[in-house]
Amino acid sequence: MNSAAHETNCFVQTSAETIEQRAVSARYWQLRLRAPEIARRARPGQFVMLSVQPDALSSDAACDPLLPRPLALLDADPKAGSIELLYFVAGRGTALLQSHAARPGTRLRILGPLGNGFTVVDGAEVHVAVGGGSGVAPLVYFFRKASFGNAPRTVILAARTKEHLADRACVEVPGADLREATDDGSAGFRGNAVEALRALLDGPLKGKRTAVYAAGPEPMMDAAAKLSIERGLPCRVSLEARMACGVGVCRSCVVDAKTPHPATGLFRRTICQDGPVFDPCELKEG
Amino acid sequence: MPSLATKLGTLDLATPFLAASGTFGYGSEYAPIVDLKNLGAVVTKSLSVQPREGNPTPRIWETPAGMLNAIGLENCGLDVFLAKKVPDLAKLPTKVLVNVVGHSVQEYAEICKRLDGVEAVDGFEINISCPNVKHGTRFASDAADCARLFGAVRPTTKKLLMAKLSPNVTDIGEIARAAVEHGADALSLINTLLGMAIDVKTRKPRIANVTGGLSGPAVRPVAVRCVYQAAQACPKTPVCGIGGIRCLDDALEFFLAGACCVQVGTINYADPDLLNRLPGQLDAWLKANGHENISEIVGKVAI
């Protein structure tokens, strides 16, 4: 392995300084951190483990909550030495992060970048991203940074209502057709992400060899994968799970594959290290 | 740093800080962050004769200052371990202790026997205390069973045998004595405390196995007490303290209670770099307090 490749496969632990936190919808927070070593190594689809307590806290105060939270990267700027995360308050940890930890100047412990990240499916004529919830970040990062040649790209971002969609500036993907879908029809397509995908595949993309990349709530990803497989289209999903370590050692975030892992002989895969991006055809259903 | 050199039975450890089983993989996973020369030893993920896929998910749940886990001893099994893990373990610049689990006395003995000639393995942590599998703590909760196990395992190997004890017992001193009298060279404690958490909305357990093992800073006072009692029960046997260490002061508590070394576990998930910082911090503390070596404070709690 040459040294450049080695560096891209390496993660670091660092103390990242909060630059800015901004509400980008009724639901999402965009968090920008100074973390040059992570920004330099990061690839689209990777994530970080972020502590939800300021570094400055004493050991006693910092041990509750104890575990860092896995958050997908929304962007990384190696020149500026900064990374961006997009998250919503899902529980006690992210609530603490939002209300106390993520203030400009605050330093947060961070481990990353982690996971395999997205790669462009070879031979596809069209590339479609389908995202909702916390799946928006990795897809937007991927569609912004990856090289798709001249192939047309569409990004479907779904939410319950218009208020829950992240603002355009935060999720803009130059060169891609950005489509919104809301359950109540208050913005864009009326319906969920997979219904929007189906409409696209049955309409403008009918007959095209389309690669589908899905990330977000599990039912959405399952349905997107199922639809893609039914149509014979290549698909990649970015999975999420509770995890403690982020580097493959705690074995919390496992899913089952159809074939044994070359290194362990087990059917288990860790979402953190073997993933988070998988070809759903390689995983067992359910 | 000579001040940190410590003896664990026959083993000379460079520092009294070990990485606990199940929190550090096979040593190389954290290599991008942790300089393994800062460790006295790496304790591997539990190893069984047959491969184990482990428990269904969810496998963990965060609790106040701690976490519950029920991984279920997922591991590659002895054959794959020998073929794929041992060559990498041989390259680690630190000692390697293999954490051993089994369904029966014979399985424990088989692993130790087959690894006895493997140079990369410096010793065994005999895990008689996993709460997340059926009968996982039988050998740690019954002194006669514990004695029978060590009686069978001791003849299979000349390497270090360390008994990893469970806190889920009435008298940990009794179990400690049974292990030592039948061949254990050292004791490590504690494994996790059996716990449970319930989602009151769905009324379902938070982890699929229903119960799980509690670890992290929440368990530390229990662990310090257990180390104190085991060290009192077996004053000539080295004790490795485990339980919720997340800073130097925590480790010092264990040394004073009677541990000659400690394992850092759950906090590796949040702050793996701690293992890089602890040796320098301990060296400075020993100097500042007029000590030349860590051994001078082991068991020196003022009672």
Side-chain angles (χ1 to χ4, degrees):
Chain A
M1 194 181 285
N2 65 42
S3 63
H6 183 65
E7 172 153 292
T8 57
N9 288 319
C10 266
F11 53 93
V12 297
Q13 177 178 333
T14 179
S15 179
E17 185 186 343
T18 306
I19 301 169
E20 183 189 21
Q21 173 165 251
R22 186 169 81 87
V24 292
S25 79
R27 183 169 162 82
Y28 289 110
W29 296 89
Q30 182 182 7
L31 180 59
R32 197 146 54 89
L33 301 166
R34 191 175 316 285
E37 291 167 301
I38 294 176
R40 199 166 69 231
R41 292 167 167 83
R43 300 191 306 272
Q46 289 191 298
F47 67 99
V48 297
M49 296 293 284
L50 184 68
S51 77
V52 296
Q53 305 261 39
D55 267 4
L57 283 186
S58 70
S59 298
D60 276 329
C63 72
D64 187 35
L66 182 68
L67 300 173
R69 298 301 190 257
L71 297 175
L73 287 158
L74 169 67
D75 213 337
D77 183 342
K79 279 188 189 144
S82 63
I83 59 170
E84 286 178 20
L85 307 169
L86 189 66
Y87 75 98
F88 56 87
V89 174
R92 182 167 164 248
T94 37
L96 263 174
L97 176 65
Q98 191 277 317
S99 62
H100 287 89
R103 301 260 171 89
T106 306
R107 288 186 168 275
L108 301 170
R109 192 168 55 227
I110 186 169
L111 201 66
L114 302 167
N116 58 359
F118 278 112
T119 50
V120 177
V121 173
D122 282 340
E125 292 174 273
V126 185
H127 301 270
V128 178
V130 191
S134 48
V136 170
L139 291 171
V140 166
Y141 182 18
F142 176 49
F143 270 50
R144 275 178 184 165
K145 294 292 165 75
S147 174
F148 294 88
N150 295 321
R153 288 165 293 150
T154 298
V155 179
I156 302 170
L157 299 180
R160 269 181 290 161
T161 70
K162 188 176 182 216
E163 285 70 37
H164 291 83
L165 284 167
D167 72 35
R168 284 277 180 151
C170 166
V171 297
E172 199 57 63
V173 180
D177 171 21
L178 184 63
R179 298 184 176 216
E180 293 171 336
T182 51
D183 292 346
D184 65 353
S186 52
F189 180 88
R190 179 193 292 269
N192 66 32
V194 180
E195 287 160 353
L197 173 65
R198 188 188 299 276
L200 205 59
L201 296 178
D202 288 342
L205 301 186
K206 198 173 172 76
K208 303 259 190 206
R209 186 174 160 76
T210 303
V212 176
Y213 309 86
E218 208 172 296
M220 186 215 93
M221 264 188 299
D222 287 350
K226 193 162 170 267
L227 178 63
S228 306
I229 292 167
E230 274 170 18
R231 305 289 172 96
L233 301 176
C235 182
R236 300 290 180 271
V237 291
S238 178
L239 303 185
E240 292 176 29
R242 284 188 191 283
M243 56 181 73
C245 73
V247 301
V249 305
C250 78
R251 315 305 295 178
S252 306
C253 61
V254 292
V255 286
D256 287 340
K258 290 175 182 167
T259 56
H261 192 291
T264 64
L266 302 177
F267 288 88
R268 305 289 197 201
R269 297 288 188 279
T270 55
I271 288 174
C272 67
Q273 197 204 25
D274 298 311
V277 179
F278 292 94
D279 179 341
C281 295
E282 293 171 4
L283 300 177
K284 283 187 191 163
E285 280 179 44
Chain B
M1 285 178 262
S3 65
L4 305 190
T6 189
K7 266 191 121 56
L8 180 63
T10 51
L11 291 184
D12 290 311
L13 306 184
T15 82
F17 302 108
L18 289 71
S21 178
T23 68
F24 212 71
Y26 298 91
S28 55
E29 287 89 338
Y30 277 114
I33 292 177
V34 180
D35 180 351
L36 296 177
K37 291 198 277 297
N38 288 315
L39 301 187
V42 166
V43 188
T44 67
K45 174 78 183 153
S46 298
L47 177 66
S48 51
V49 174
Q50 298 299 326
R52 293 179 60 106
E53 297 281 347
N55 289 332
T57 57
R59 290 174 164 189
I60 59 164
W61 179 251
E62 190 178 53
T63 60
M67 64 181 277
L68 283 171
N69 87 78
I71 307 301
L73 302 176
E74 178 186 324
N75 81 93
C76 60
L78 185 53
D79 289 339
V80 173
F81 180 82
L82 279 161
K84 303 237 167 115
K85 305 296 183 189
V86 166
D88 291 335
L89 290 171
K91 295 177 199 151
L92 301 183
T94 186
K95 298 271 194 293
V96 173
L97 302 179
V98 174
N99 183 291
V100 180
V101 293
H103 289 105
S104 64
V105 168
Q106 290 73 23
E107 288 187 10
Y108 284 96
E110 182 179 347
I111 293 175
C112 293
K113 192 176 176 184
R114 285 181 64 190
L115 294 179
D116 185 51
V118 175
E119 203 180 334
V121 176
D122 295 289
F124 303 100
E125 181 175 64
I126 303 299
N127 183 356
I128 54 175
S129 44
C130 178
N132 298 325
V133 295
K134 206 178 170 189
H135 308 311
T137 60
R138 183 179 46 143
F139 296 111
S141 50
D142 183 301
D145 278 341
C146 180
R148 196 162 56 85
L149 176 68
F150 280 92
V153 171
R154 181 70 276 178
T156 64
T157 179
K158 290 192 171 61
K159 294 186 195 286
L160 179 90
L161 281 183
M162 181 160 76
K164 185 167 184 179
L165 304 182
S166 168
N168 307 309
V169 295
T170 310
D171 180 357
I172 201 162
E174 184 195 2
I175 308 295
R177 274 192 300 270
V180 169
E181 283 165 10
H182 291 83
D185 303 302
L187 301 166
S188 61
L189 59 156
I190 55 174
N191 206 319
T192 54
L193 279 154
L194 191 58
M196 181 169 170
I198 299 168
D199 181 340
V200 295
K201 276 189 205 145
T202 63
R203 306 190 178 191
K204 287 182 178 168
R206 292 291 193 179
I207 49 182
N209 189 54
V210 181
T211 59
L214 181 65
S215 68
V219 311
R220 201 181 72 252
V222 177
V224 173
R225 181 269 296 175
C226 288
V227 164
Y228 174 70
Q229 290 178 332
Q232 295 290 310
C234 304
K236 291 178 181 161
T237 304
V239 174
C240 182
I242 319 167
I245 293 170
R246 44 71 166 123
C247 63
L248 178 65
D249 277 6
D250 296 349
L252 290 171
E253 275 195 69
F254 281 95
F255 298 139
L256 292 167
C260 67
C261 59
V262 294
Q263 294 180 17
V264 175
T266 304
I267 200 68
N268 290 330
Y269 301 148
D271 184 14
D273 181 60
L274 177 67
L275 285 167
N276 291 325
R277 305 194 302 271
L278 282 171
Q281 290 174 352
L282 177 59
D283 181 60
W285 186 92
L286 289 168
K287 285 198 174 85
N289 287 274
H291 297 293
E292 288 184 7
N293 184 271
I294 170 76
S295 60
E296 294 168 27
I297 65 163
V298 172
K300 295 298 166 61
V301 55
I303 294 175

